[in-house]
Amino acid sequence: MLPNKTLALLTAALLAPSLTLSLVAPQPDQVRFALNVDSATLLGSGDPRFPPMVSVPCTGGALTELIKPPNVDALYEWYASVRDEPDADPSWGVLWPTAVSLASYLCRNPATTVDQKRVVELGAGLGLCGLVSAGLGAKSVLLTDREGYALHCAMSTAAVNNLQDKVTASIFDWENNVEGSAMERAADVVLASDVLYDSKTIGLLARACNNILAPGGMLLLTDPVVSRYPHARDTFRSTWEAEVGGTIEEISLPLIECTESETMEGRDHTRRMKEPTVLVKCFLP
């Protein structure tokens, strides 16, 4: 049985299609990130050291393939039966629509977002947004997450796409103090997607971004229109305005075009990808 956090995230994502009419559909000529799971290749079925992994062909952001677990059920089964960790959280193995939406936004706007910038992705999971940034011309990319297996997949993707020279990874939890660390003022752009799910850490996330960003830096954060946690963006905004200052704007992103050839976690993925997403842009003074 999946952990409560994972079930909550998946349930919220599946309930969202009722809101899809509120956003504008993407135009055919827009650059976007897309996957072709029908052509995925099994790399390994899992062992005590590493989870099961597949290579999924993709387009957008100079990525040609993405390394990830086959699906969240296979990942949880590996945790429970191979690693004997039934309480482990497999949600990092899901490619969430907020990450795909942010990646597509970066593909459409590289010059004003990540080109020649130092980029840090927080709660990176599979590292999609940071890796796309590297492919779009970022000067350097640091992928951070508290799950080491997620970063293993992300760095594998960097290697197969010849991005390993500009991409690094580090285990990091934004509940820890950034001040005085190597991450302080280390980024021109911070990326984050689907990270406003815990009321106890929303304020800590805002403070961490403030400490990681250099003066004049920018945070690009994507969140479901229907937040995982009630009033999550309001809480984040109030913390940012009170403790950081600068400007904040929200942009509704186009819905993701998802056909059967771009499914990822099985039959539910097409529905999940219809979840409306909002981009929160925060600028440091």
Side-chain angles (χ1 to χ4, degrees), residues 54-89:
V54 296
S55 172
V56 185
C58 57
T59 58
L63 298 187
T64 59
E65 58 182 305
L66 182 79
I67 309 301
K68 71 176 302 296
N71 53 62
V72 70
D73 292 322
L75 180 57
Y76 178 73
E77 180 63 24
W78 175 79
Y79 271 124
S81 51
V82 178
R83 295 286 299 176
D84 194 23
E85 299 176 11
D87 295 327
D89 178 12

Side-chain angles (χ1 to χ4, degrees), residues 160-179:
V160 298
N161 287 280
N162 295 315
L163 297 172
Q164 66 272 23
D165 290 342
K166 63 167 63 178
V167 178
T168 56
S170 177
I171 293 179
F172 174 73
D173 190 328
W174 56 75
E175 295 183 40
N176 299 327
N177 190 6
V178 176
E179 294 183 79

Side-chain angles (χ1 to χ4, degrees), residues 142-146 151 168-172 183:
L142 173 61
L143 306 174
T144 71
D145 201 282
R146 57 189 176 189
L151 296 177
T168 56
S170 177
I171 293 179
F172 174 73
M183 291 184 65

Side-chain angles (χ1 to χ4, degrees), residues 12 21 55 87 90 120 132 163 165 178 192 196 212 240 258 265 274:
L21 295 179
S55 172
D87 295 327
V120 170
V132 165
L163 297 172
D165 290 342
V178 176
L196 303 180
I212 293 170
W240 186 274
C258 186
E265 273 70 47
K274 293 179 181 178

